[in-house]
Amino acid sequence: TNTDTRGGAILNEGLINNITGDFIGNSAGDDGGAIYNKGGINNITGNFIGNSALFEGGAIYVYANIPRSYEEEPYSIGSITGNFIGNKVEGSESGYSGGGAIASEYRIGDIKGDFIANSVQNRKEAYGGAVYNYDYHASIDSITGDFIG
């Protein structure tokens, strides 16, 4: 089990070409239970199982690190391939929480995989049990997979 304030396993502020492997049981005391991305990641391939965060992105959190133009950095994450199973955002009593599996403030290309039993638990405001895509810079090109409670 890896634990940190942001990005229980990986906090990225630079560029990672490819990440391959499973993320199991990682946790963050803030955002991004497994991965907190403030830079660029071309491709992620692997399953995300039982990761957790307090506020946003039980498995993955994408920060809106806005480039000068979209041509400079077209995506924060190019593609994600894998299943998201049992990831959660624990939530707080005072604010909002979202994205049991993925919370994104910026651009993600394609997501391929199933979302199974991901959740957001919050007493005040909870958004996106599986995916929370928010902010006016946020976009996801496509999601291919099943969403199973």
Side-chain angles (χ1 to χ4, degrees), residues 5-140:
T5 303
R6 292 185 173 154
I10 296 173
L11 188 150
N12 178 45
E13 293 182 337
L15 176 64
I16 298 174
N17 193 29
N18 292 302
I19 297 173
T20 303
D22 295 334
F23 292 84
I24 302 169
N26 300 286
S27 65
D30 193 348
D31 301 321
I35 298 173
Y36 184 101
N37 185 46
K38 194 175 177 179
I41 300 172
N42 289 330
N43 301 296
I44 300 171
T45 303
N47 297 308
F48 291 82
I49 302 167
N51 300 287
S52 64
L54 182 58
F55 297 116
E56 296 179 296
I60 298 174
Y61 177 79
V62 178
Y63 178 81
N65 193 15
I66 310 303
R68 288 186 294 271
S69 72
Y70 281 125
E71 289 75 31
E72 286 182 38
E73 185 181 333
Y75 295 103
S76 187
I77 298 177
S79 69
I80 302 169
T81 303
N83 297 314
F84 292 83
I85 303 167
N87 301 287
K88 69 179 179 179
V89 169
E90 296 166 7
S92 70
E93 293 183 20
S94 60
Y96 69 91
S97 300
I102 299 171
S104 180
E105 294 181 8
Y106 199 51
R107 298 175 71 191
I108 298 174
D110 299 320
I111 301 171
K112 295 178 184 173
D114 294 334
F115 292 82
I116 302 167
N118 299 285
S119 63
V120 177
Q121 303 164 350
N122 192 323
R123 295 183 186 162
K124 188 170 182 180
E125 296 180 57
Y127 303 102
V131 178
Y132 181 34
N133 189 49
Y134 67 101
D135 200 306
Y136 66 96
H137 293 291
S139 68
I140 298 172

